[in-house]
């Protein structure tokens, strides 16, 4: 329908009485003021940098960093560049954030469900947990946990041993055995990916079959079988190599195996405990938001408890839960920057050292902001997309 | 109705058109409202009747045609000029379906707000006017309560008084009784009938056909954005000429 | 009552009592703790856990604990808590390195700020005039106590007077009578003339000193007062600017909206630490060379920038919750944008968002602890610093639990107040 929409014949309007012109005038004034302020700040900054003879630009990223990083996921030495040091920091941030998100979600869901338990004791205990962790700063929890680990736990020589002297707990961290690197690990990874792909295919096939014939298919069991079974099969076929590097005391510290450092542990435990208290409240309110009539209607249609939960209740609860949960996930990512206070080498810590060594504050602060903004914006874009998908269609 | 022939035109709509995106909500609307005339606009939902009266005080913008409001011998055309919009809004009162009273202000403050801030009236004078209007709508005792403490019918009467407080020349009613419980409809209609007797120019969007029969000078039937039929209520209800009007009337008159 | 025809004259039935097992303490225990097998097992396990934890805590914190000691050595080996460290370090934890004989000053500043906050919680105080008086007096007393002396620059005061009287001239124009209007105009013109002369350099810079106590610079401030000032004034300054951001984000002017969205999302997307680092290393670069900016003030600026973006999002929630009809009714009455916003929109929107605002304030109160990373001695920092004393080293648990208890008292009472208020406002006057 391409109906021409003739414009309203322009009556004579004094420009200062036309809302559109007024709007543009106001906008230009504000933008002008902001630009002027920015220009003032930038020109001051340039002048100050010149006066203090601080270099500008990102050339420093290619230079040798010269500082140690205690806990790295990829090989790194002080001889590597600043860029690599910052990358190590980013990986550390991501590692602690992802693990924190997973653990906090699990713990938070359990506590949130516990808050709704008919058992009065469990209910109150969960409430105490939530109030205790919510109302004290995260940084304080981090200090407390870190100090308790590093001061109350014994040194390596008196380490607490467990599981037939393969696992050791000391104030230097938790030492665990790891399997020696073996070619089969790569193939197990491939098998895992194949298993995931197969699960996805099975799901599609099962949905199509159910739509066509009405026959349901145990997708979850089959999928779990594929995801766990395939790598296991590959491992067995290759002769089930089972050589572990076991940590053992040598001199004043352990050798072999792998170590979970106390800084990382403290940060992860702190983030998990603190955030799970908030997640528990979100889960609880999501469940409470469900209308009682919904479950009654589902049961009256003859759906089983499991079906009612999966098909009717969970989708509705998720709609309430997902948006605030997103901001908690973002909070974990941002709060992982508190690492700097207990010495875990995350991005902010790496940047801080870099600022102190190079003096190039502006570039480094920009790097931090860009990194976090990328993570935040991509998570919120994804969540917005997800939200739109599950949102209720209303008039 | 003949008595109105001599009086002046207060609202003049010429070829008014409006679109929501590609959807044509108002098509070539021509309408003349005389001083003191009471017009009832009816039609099925989505027919554009609310949009039409909301265009008159620029709550909605029309895209083609002209709307001219004339008061005290001055003609003001609705355009992009904010001064004109302000001038028209001072002379045109509006009553909404959902009352839209301000819940954070007392009844009295709701009434005096616009006289004080728009008409720059001293507070004492505004309060006097407000109280006399509350007497007219028969709820002076509620003056210091908040809207939430009143029943729907009382709230709508307050909303009418609030609009009257600006001493408007023209009153627009957008389905004033649709959100009310049946037993409260009458108290609001009574106030509106009284207002009509005093000679106020009124445009009323409503489904209350009894009100249209007893008060209106003219009934307008709209469908799909067009004025399908108009005429004095007697004729309109006795022998509607258009098929669409007949269908509509049979639907709302005989359940 | 369509089916009530069969009923004869109503005979009063004796009031039915619940089955005995559900009533009384026994019934309660049965219903809430042992309603099913699973429930009973949970209860038993939990009781075992609580007894275990409780006996451990009782042993550690009370029975084996040391409550007074000359130094930490006396606590070693007791197997219990060393609460003596709290007693020994109490004043340092609360007041930091504020001159020892002047500790009463931050103490009274804390009391003043507490009083200010408590008074602001009373709904009878919720109007602009009363709040302005409470906060004005409270602020002067707080900073007078903390600094010991204040130098009030006349130029700044006259600038404030100029802006205030200009605003009054504009906003009261419609309601003020002639005398009032003349006064506003006169004050505006006089302060304007003074400002122009001052800018042109005709008049010298002058400030009125009020000297009551010895001067204490911000570098020596520490402890709870610092935490409270950062949180309270962070919120107080962030509030108006957060409202402006929220209005900007809801505006239909595309450039303004874009600017506000960009700013809000930028601040909310990065951690507070990065803002603090920025404030501490970049703010000095932003200013003309030669000007230095106090470290404490830098942290405060970062907190304000941070808080504003979060407040803006909360206020936006309140604006969105407002029914469209309210805007239309205001328009139909002929109110302009400023009148509509200040008389109709904000009073309603802000009322809705008070409970979430308090929750945000709790968040800021906790988050101010991050300033210790850029070297400000807030409450958490002074607590940590107390551990550095070689006489008392080795008792982090005791110190941090004590600090946690203090934070908990503040945050928990605020969250209870917010819950209560939410309940009250919902009950409120509307149906």
């Amino acid at each position: 329908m391409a109906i021409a929409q003739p414009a309203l014949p322009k009556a004579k309007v004094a420009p200062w009485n036309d809302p559109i012109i007024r709007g543009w005038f106001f906008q230009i004034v504000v933008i002008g003021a902001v630009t002027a302020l920015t220009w003032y700040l930038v020109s001051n900054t340039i002048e100050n940098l010149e006066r203090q003879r601080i270099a500008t630009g990102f050339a420093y990223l290619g230079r040798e960093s010269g500082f140690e990083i205690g806990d790295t996921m990829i090989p790194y030495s002080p001889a590597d560049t600043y860029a690599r040091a910052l990358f190590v920091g980013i990986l550390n941030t991501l590692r602690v954030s992802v693990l924190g998100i997973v653990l906090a979600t699990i713990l938070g869901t359990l506590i949130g469900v516990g808050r709704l338990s008919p058992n009065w004791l469990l209910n109150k205990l969960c409430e105490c947990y939530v109030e205790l962790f919510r109302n004290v700063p995260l940084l304080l929890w981090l200090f407390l946990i870190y100090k308790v680990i590093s001061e109350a736990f014994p040194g390596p020589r008196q380490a607490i041993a467990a599981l037939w002297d393969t696992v050791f707990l000391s104030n230097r961290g938790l030492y665990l055995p790891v399997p020696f690197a073996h070619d089969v690990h790569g193939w197990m990874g491939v098998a895992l990916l194949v298993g995931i792909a197969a699960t996805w295919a099975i799901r599609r096939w099962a949905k199509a079959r159910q739509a066509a014939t009405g026959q349901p298919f145990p997708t979850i069991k089959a999928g779990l079988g594929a995801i766990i079974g395939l790598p296991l099969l590959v491992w067995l076929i290759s002769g089930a190599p089972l050589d572990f590097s076991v940590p053992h005391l040598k001199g004043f510290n352990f050798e072999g195996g792998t170590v979970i450092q106390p800084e990382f542990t403290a940060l992860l435990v702190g983030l998990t405990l603190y955030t799970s208290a908030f997640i528990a409240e979100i889960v609880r309110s999501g469940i409470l938001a469900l209308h009682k009539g919904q479950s009654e209607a589902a049961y009256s249609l003859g759906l089983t408890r499991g079906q009612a939960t999966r098909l009717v209740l969970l989708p509705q609860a998720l709609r309430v839960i997902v948006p605030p949960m997103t901001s908690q996930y973002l909070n974990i990512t941002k709060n992982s920057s508190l690492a700097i206070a207990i010495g875990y080498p995350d991005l902010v810590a790496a940047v801080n050292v870099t600022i102190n060594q190079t003096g190039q504050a502006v570039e480094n602060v920009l790097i931090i902001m860009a990194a976090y903004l990328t993570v935040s914006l991509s998570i919120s874009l994804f969540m917005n997309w997800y939200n739109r998908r599950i949102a209720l269609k209303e008039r | 109705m003949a008595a109105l022939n001599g009086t002046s035109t207060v609202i003049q709509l010429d070829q008014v058109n409006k679109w929501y995106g590609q959807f044509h909500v108002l098509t070539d609307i021509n309408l003349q409202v005389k001083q003191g005339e009471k017009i009832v606009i009816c039609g099925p939902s989505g027919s554009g009747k609310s949009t039409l009266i909301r265009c008159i005080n620029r709550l909605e913008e029309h895209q083609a045609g002209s709307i001219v409001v004339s008061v005290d011998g001055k003609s003001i055309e609705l355009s992009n000029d904010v001064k004109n919009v302000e001038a028209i809004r001072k002379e045109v009162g509006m009553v909404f379906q959902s009352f839209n009273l301000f819940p954070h202000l007392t009844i009295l403050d709701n009434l005096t707000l616009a006289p004080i801030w728009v008409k720059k009236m001293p507070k004492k004078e505004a309060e006097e006017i407000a109280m006399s209007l509350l007497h007219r709508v028969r709820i002076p005792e509620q003056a210091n309560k908040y809207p939430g403490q009143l029943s729907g019918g009382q709230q709508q009467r307050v909303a009418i008084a609030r609009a009257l407080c600006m001493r408007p020349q023209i009153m627009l009613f957008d389905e004033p009784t649709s959100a009310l419980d049946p037993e409260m409809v009458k108290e609001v209609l009574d106030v509106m009938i009284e207002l009509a007797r005093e000679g106020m120019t009124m445009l009323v969007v409503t489904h209350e056909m009894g009100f249209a029969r007893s008060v209106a000078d003219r009934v307008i039937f709209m469908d799909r954005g067009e004025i399908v039929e108009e005429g004095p209520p007697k004729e309109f209800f006795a022998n509607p000429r258009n098929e669409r009007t007949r269908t509509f009337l049979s639907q709302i008159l005989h359940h | 009552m369509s089916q009530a025809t069969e009923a004869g004259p109503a005979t009063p039935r004796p009031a039915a009592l619940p089955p005995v097992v559900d009533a009384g303490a026994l019934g309660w225990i049965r219903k809430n703790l042992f309603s099913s097998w699973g429930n009973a097992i949970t209860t038993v396990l939990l009781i075992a856990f609580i007894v275990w934890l409780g006996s451990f805590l009782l042993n550690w914190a009370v029975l084996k604990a040391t409550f007074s000691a000359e130094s930490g050595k006396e606590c070693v080996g007791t197997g219990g808590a060393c609460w003596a460290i709290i007693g020994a370090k109490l004043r340092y934890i609360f007041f930091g390195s504020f001159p020892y004989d002047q500790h009463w000053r931050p103490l009274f500043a804390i009391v003043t700020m507490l009083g200010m906050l408590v008074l602001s919680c009373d709904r009878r105080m919720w109007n602009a005039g009363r709040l302005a008086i409470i906060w004005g007096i409270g602020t002067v007393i707080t900073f007078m106590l903390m600094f010991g002396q204040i130098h009030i620059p006349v130029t700044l005061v006259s600038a404030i007077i100029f802006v205030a009287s200009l605003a009054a001239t504009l906003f009261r124009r419609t309601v003020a009578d002639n005398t009032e209007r003349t006064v506003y105009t006169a004050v505006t013109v006089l302060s304007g003339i003074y400002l122009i002369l001052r800018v042109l350099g005709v008049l010298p810079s002058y400030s009125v000193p009020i000297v009551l106590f010895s001067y204490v610079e911000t570098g020596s401030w520490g402890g709870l007062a610092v935490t409270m000032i950062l949180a309270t004034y962070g919120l107080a300054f962030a509030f108006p600017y957060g409202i402006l951001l929220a209005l900007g984000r809801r505006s239909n002017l595309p450039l303004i909206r874009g600017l506000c969205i960009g700013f809000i999302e930028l601040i909310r997307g990065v951690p507070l630490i990065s803002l603090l680092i920025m404030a501490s290393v970049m703010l000095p670069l932003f200013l003309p060379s030669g000007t230095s900016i106090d470290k404490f003030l830098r942290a405060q600026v970062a907190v304000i920038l941070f808080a504003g973006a979060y407040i803006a999002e909360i206020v936006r929630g309140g604006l969105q919750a407002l029914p469209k009809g309210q805007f239309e009714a205001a328009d139909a009455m002929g109110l302009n944008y400023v009148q509509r916003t200040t008389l109709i929109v904000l009073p309603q929107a802000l009322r809705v968002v008070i409970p979430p605002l308090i929750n945000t304030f709790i968040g800021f109160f906790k988050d101010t602890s991050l300033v210790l990373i850029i070297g400000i001695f807030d409450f958490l920092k002074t607590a940590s610093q107390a551990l550095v004393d070689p006489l008392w080293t080795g008792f982090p648990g005791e110190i941090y639990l004590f600090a946690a208890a203090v934070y908990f008292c503040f945050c928990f009472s605020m969250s209870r107040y917010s819950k209560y208020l939410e309940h009250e406002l919902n009950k409120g006057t509307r149906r």
Side-chain angles (χ1 to χ4, degrees):
Chain A
M1 286 222 295
I3 306 165
Q5 297 186 8
L8 192 66
K10 282 271 171 274
K12 279 219 169 109
V13 180
W16 54 89
N17 280 342
D18 188 326
I20 295 170
I21 296 176
R22 273 189 186 187
W24 279 107
F25 174 73
F26 183 61
Q27 294 190 76
I28 288 166
V29 168
V30 170
I31 297 288
V34 171
T35 318
L37 182 70
T38 316
W39 183 81
Y40 173 73
L41 297 180
V42 168
S43 66
N44 278 336
T45 308
I46 292 172
E47 190 185 318
N48 282 324
L49 289 177
E50 272 172 8
R51 200 170 40 81
Q52 297 175 18
R53 296 180 198 289
I54 298 174
T56 51
F58 288 93
Y60 72 92
L61 283 177
R63 289 206 305 270
E64 187 178 303
S65 68
F67 63 86
E68 281 284 356
I69 295 183
D71 196 352
T72 63
M73 288 172 76
I74 53 171
Y76 167 84
S77 76
D80 283 318
T81 59
Y82 278 114
R84 192 168 176 88
L86 295 183
F87 185 63
V88 167
I90 291 178
L91 284 182
N92 279 340
T93 294
L94 288 179
R95 172 169 67 157
V96 78
S97 308
V98 170
L99 280 173
I101 286 174
V102 173
L103 293 179
T105 309
I106 296 171
L107 186 60
T109 310
L110 290 178
I111 304 271
V113 172
R115 279 281 268 126
L116 294 164
S117 159
N119 188 312
W120 183 85
L121 260 185
L122 184 60
N123 185 327
K124 287 295 148 189
L125 218 58
C126 291
E127 186 179 348
C128 288
Y129 175 92
V130 168
E131 294 297 350
L132 182 65
F133 282 100
R134 265 203 324 190
N135 286 315
V136 173
L138 171 60
L139 195 54
L140 202 157
W141 289 124
L142 291 184
F143 280 153
L144 182 58
I145 296 167
Y146 181 62
K147 288 279 178 178
V148 166
I149 291 178
S150 58
E151 292 196 13
F153 283 15
R157 283 172 166 281
Q158 290 82 37
I160 305 163
L163 291 176
W164 307 282
D165 282 356
T166 53
V167 175
F168 296 92
L169 184 63
S170 76
N171 60 7
R172 301 275 182 89
L174 179 66
Y175 286 81
L176 300 169
V178 282
F180 282 115
H182 192 283
D183 289 345
V184 74
H185 294 149
W187 291 110
M188 283 168 72
V190 173
L192 183 72
L193 291 180
V194 171
I196 292 171
T199 308
W200 183 74
I202 292 173
R203 194 176 114 92
R204 285 199 60 168
W205 169 80
K207 265 193 169 175
R209 194 183 75 151
Q210 191 173 9
T213 66
Q215 286 293 315
F217 184 83
T219 314
I220 296 178
K221 282 178 200 158
L224 272 180
I227 289 173
I228 299 175
L230 281 178
L232 206 66
L233 197 69
V234 170
W235 181 67
L236 285 174
I237 288 172
S238 70
L242 197 65
D243 292 328
F244 277 94
S245 153
V246 180
H248 54 276
L249 195 64
K250 189 167 184 192
F252 291 107
N253 210 341
F254 286 95
E255 252 184 21
T258 188
V259 60
I260 300 175
Q261 303 207 341
E263 292 83 9
F264 175 76
T265 315
L267 186 60
L268 183 62
V269 171
L271 279 174
T272 304
L273 293 178
Y274 183 76
T275 316
S276 64
F278 290 89
I279 289 182
E281 282 297 277
I282 293 170
V283 170
R284 172 168 166 261
S285 62
I287 297 175
L288 282 180
L290 284 179
H291 205 271
K292 205 174 149 222
Q294 292 293 320
S295 54
E296 287 173 356
Y299 295 144
S300 75
L301 287 172
L303 295 181
T304 65
R305 242 188 112 97
Q307 285 172 327
T309 310
R310 187 159 53 91
L311 299 171
V312 178
L313 302 179
L314 202 60
Q316 295 190 45
L318 279 184
R319 200 175 309 115
V320 182
I321 289 174
V322 164
M325 204 72 129
T326 316
S327 57
Q328 286 309 321
Y329 290 168
L330 287 175
N331 276 348
I332 289 190
T333 315
K334 287 187 279 176
N335 282 338
S336 70
S337 60
L338 294 187
I340 194 177
I342 54 171
Y344 175 72
D346 81 324
L347 173 64
V348 173
V351 162
N352 203 37
V353 180
T354 312
I355 292 181
N356 288 339
Q357 290 188 357
T358 62
Q360 289 187 254
V362 181
E363 292 85 349
N364 280 299
V365 169
L366 283 180
I367 288 177
I368 301 188
M369 295 201 156
Y372 277 100
L373 275 182
T374 313
V375 176
S376 302
L377 289 182
S378 42
I379 291 185
S380 47
L381 279 181
F382 171 73
M383 281 300 169
N384 282 343
W385 167 80
Y386 180 73
N387 244 339
R388 261 201 310 280
R389 240 185 56 138
I390 64 170
L392 259 196
K393 301 289 179 290
E394 275 178 61
R395 285 189 63 178
Chain B
M1 282 106 255
L4 291 169
N5 280 346
T7 56
S8 56
T9 304
V10 284
I11 303 176
Q12 172 97 38
L13 277 71
D14 274 320
Q15 296 291 331
V16 170
N17 276 284
K18 177 170 177 59
W19 291 262
Y20 286 133
Q22 288 295 315
F23 180 61
H24 207 161
V25 259
L26 293 178
T27 312
D28 295 340
I29 302 287
N30 291 305
L31 179 68
Q32 261 196 5
V33 184
K34 302 266 187 194
Q35 172 104 49
E37 202 177 7
K38 288 97 187 115
I39 295 180
V40 165
I41 306 172
C42 59
S45 86
S47 60
K49 50 196 192 316
S50 288
T51 312
L52 173 63
I53 66 167
R54 286 158 63 89
C55 277
I56 294 174
N57 67 350
R58 197 64 163 192
L59 286 182
E60 309 270 357
E61 236 172 275
H62 61 289
Q63 285 136 351
S66 76
I67 299 176
V68 179
V69 176
S70 315
V71 276
D72 303 332
K74 274 183 299 184
S75 293
I76 313 166
E77 181 175 357
L78 264 182
S79 65
N80 264 342
D81 194 327
V82 278
K83 286 281 171 241
N84 284 2
V85 177
E86 275 171 24
I88 286 177
R89 283 178 176 167
K90 263 191 221 173
E91 302 298 341
V92 179
M94 177 129 185
V95 175
F96 297 87
Q97 178 178 357
S98 49
F99 329 137
N100 292 346
L101 293 179
F102 303 128
H104 63 300
L105 301 176
T106 63
I107 300 303
L108 194 62
D109 288 339
N110 260 287
L111 263 65
T112 55
L113 185 81
I116 290 176
W117 289 94
V118 180
K119 277 205 164 170
K120 335 275 185 209
M121 196 183 276
K123 193 171 176 207
K124 203 159 163 253
E125 196 184 329
E127 281 179 353
E128 278 164 17
I129 294 174
M131 280 315 293
S132 77
L133 282 166
L134 284 179
H135 272 285
R136 253 174 76 180
V137 299
R138 293 181 284 275
I139 34 175
E141 71 283 0
Q142 313 284 10
N144 291 314
K145 288 197 182 164
Y146 286 88
Q149 295 166 299
L150 269 54
S151 75
Q154 289 173 324
Q155 288 196 44
Q156 193 61 300
R157 283 186 279 156
V158 171
I160 296 174
R162 181 176 73 177
L164 290 175
C165 242
M166 288 291 283
R167 298 259 176 261
Q169 304 286 320
I170 302 157
M171 286 284 284
L172 307 175
F173 293 84
D174 187 1
E175 306 206 26
T177 55
S178 301
L180 296 177
D181 292 337
E183 75 270 20
M184 295 170 179
V185 170
K186 187 174 174 293
E187 62 187 60
V188 172
L189 287 181
D190 283 348
V191 169
M192 288 168 63
I193 291 169
E194 205 178 296
L195 197 60
R197 294 226 176 91
E198 286 160 20
M200 174 67 75
T201 313
M202 292 163 70
L203 268 82
V204 186
V205 172
T206 187
H207 291 152
E208 296 293 334
M209 290 303 135
F211 174 81
R213 256 186 250 265
S214 62
V215 175
D217 298 310
R218 226 187 327 159
V219 180
I220 291 177
F221 173 70
M222 284 185 72
D223 191 17
R224 295 177 217 159
E226 294 169 320
I227 296 183
V228 176
E229 184 164 351
E230 57 174 298
K234 253 185 210 156
E235 245 170 77
F236 182 85
F237 290 112
N239 46 9
R241 280 161 291 165
N242 193 297
E243 179 57 40
R244 282 193 258 171
T245 322
R246 274 197 289 275
T247 321
F248 175 72
L249 284 178
S250 72
Q251 274 165 353
I252 66 163
L253 293 178
H254 321 285
H255 293 273
Chain C
M1 292 293 275
S2 55
Q3 290 172 348
T5 43
E6 289 174 29
T11 46
R13 251 179 33 175
L17 291 169
V20 184
V21 284
D22 274 2
L26 225 65
W28 183 90
I29 289 176
R30 196 190 164 91
K31 186 163 158 269
N32 290 299
L33 297 178
F34 297 98
S35 60
S36 68
W37 271 111
N39 216 334
I41 293 170
T42 318
T43 306
V44 171
L45 288 177
L46 285 178
I47 289 179
F49 172 70
I50 291 171
V51 167
W52 172 77
L53 187 72
S55 63
F56 169 76
L57 282 180
L58 188 71
N59 248 326
W60 181 77
V62 183
L63 296 180
K64 292 186 180 168
T66 314
F67 290 93
S68 68
E70 285 300 306
S71 86
K73 290 194 187 71
E74 296 175 34
C75 300
V76 178
T78 58
C82 185
W83 298 120
I85 185 176
I86 305 292
K89 291 288 168 190
L90 194 64
R91 282 177 73 162
Y92 183 77
I93 294 175
F94 274 106
F95 307 122
S97 40
F98 208 88
Y100 194 80
D101 57 333
Q102 301 282 315
H103 277 180
W104 60 274
R105 278 162 52 183
L107 178 66
F108 276 102
I110 292 169
V111 172
T112 311
M113 281 184 283
L114 274 179
M116 227 156 74
L117 290 174
V118 169
L119 277 178
S120 311
C121 285
D122 189 337
R123 288 176 68 184
R124 278 168 300 186
M125 299 300 159
W126 287 1
N127 75 47
R130 284 180 191 171
L131 285 180
I133 292 174
I134 292 171
W135 281 73
I137 294 176
T139 305
V140 170
I141 295 178
T142 304
F143 286 96
M144 196 72 226
L145 286 167
M146 292 304 288
F147 279 113
Q149 36 191 274
I150 302 179
H151 297 265
I152 304 167
V154 176
T155 316
L156 182 69
V157 173
S158 61
I160 292 172
I161 291 177
F162 177 74
V163 172
S165 60
L166 195 67
T169 321
L170 290 177
F171 288 107
R172 301 274 304 168
R173 180 184 51 181
T174 53
V175 271
D177 57 16
N178 273 333
T179 3
E180 200 180 334
R181 240 175 286 173
T182 322
V183 172
Y184 290 146
T185 320
V187 173
T188 313
V189 170
L190 282 179
S191 53
I193 292 173
Y194 176 85
L195 281 180
I196 291 168
L197 291 179
R198 181 70 194 81
V199 170
L200 293 177
V202 180
L203 291 173
S205 136
Y206 184 70
S207 62
V208 183
I210 305 179
V211 179
L212 292 185
F213 318 110
S214 59
Y215 182 71
V216 178
E217 54 163 13
T218 55
S220 308
W221 295 8
L224 193 57
V226 166
T227 294
M228 287 189 69
I229 289 176
L230 282 173
T232 314
Y233 288 95
L235 190 81
F237 282 97
F239 191 55
Y241 122 85
I243 290 176
L244 285 181
L245 277 178
L247 288 173
R249 190 167 184 169
R250 294 273 292 165
S251 147
N252 45 20
L253 305 175
L255 288 180
I256 305 281
R257 196 175 53 227
L259 201 68
C260 290
I261 292 178
F263 186 80
I264 292 172
E265 293 304 326
L266 175 74
I267 301 282
R268 279 162 40 95
V270 301
L272 174 57
I273 288 191
S274 67
L275 287 181
L276 285 170
I277 291 178
M278 186 172 116
S280 82
V281 297
M282 277 171 71
L283 260 187
L285 290 178
F286 281 162
L287 296 175
S289 56
T291 41
S292 69
I293 173 165
D294 187 79
K295 192 161 79 174
F296 186 81
L297 190 59
R298 286 184 227 165
Q300 183 77 75
V301 168
V303 171
I304 292 172
L305 277 180
F306 181 72
Y310 283 81
I311 290 174
E313 282 303 276
I314 290 172
V315 172
R316 183 166 77 110
L319 292 175
Q320 273 169 341
L322 207 58
K324 218 173 118 206
Q326 293 292 314
F327 293 84
E328 287 180 351
D331 281 342
M333 290 169 98
L335 299 179
N336 62 30
Y337 178 83
V338 175
Q339 291 171 336
R340 186 181 80 190
T341 306
T342 54
L343 296 173
I344 307 297
V345 177
L346 283 182
Q348 294 186 60
L350 293 183
R351 200 186 162 87
V352 182
V353 298
I354 290 171
L357 270 179
I358 297 172
N359 291 338
T360 318
F361 182 66
I362 299 174
F364 296 145
F365 191 81
K366 289 184 292 175
D367 282 346
T368 51
S369 56
L370 270 61
V371 296
L372 66 85
I373 288 164
I374 59 167
I376 306 275
F377 275 67
D378 80 319
F379 184 61
L380 185 53
K381 180 66 184 177
T382 50
S384 305
Q385 202 67 19
L387 289 168
V388 175
D389 186 340
L391 269 182
W392 291 98
T393 189
F395 305 101
E398 288 81 346
I399 287 279
Y400 286 126
L401 284 180
F402 175 72
V406 173
Y407 275 108
F408 185 85
C409 289
F410 274 94
C411 298
F412 186 69
S413 51
M414 282 190 282
S415 80
R416 281 292 122 136
Y417 171 67
S418 143
K419 278 226 174 86
Y420 153 82
L421 205 60
E422 197 168 6
H423 184 74
E424 282 293 294
L425 291 178
N426 279 342
K427 193 166 76 182
T429 49
R430 59 198 80 175
R431 297 185 178 210

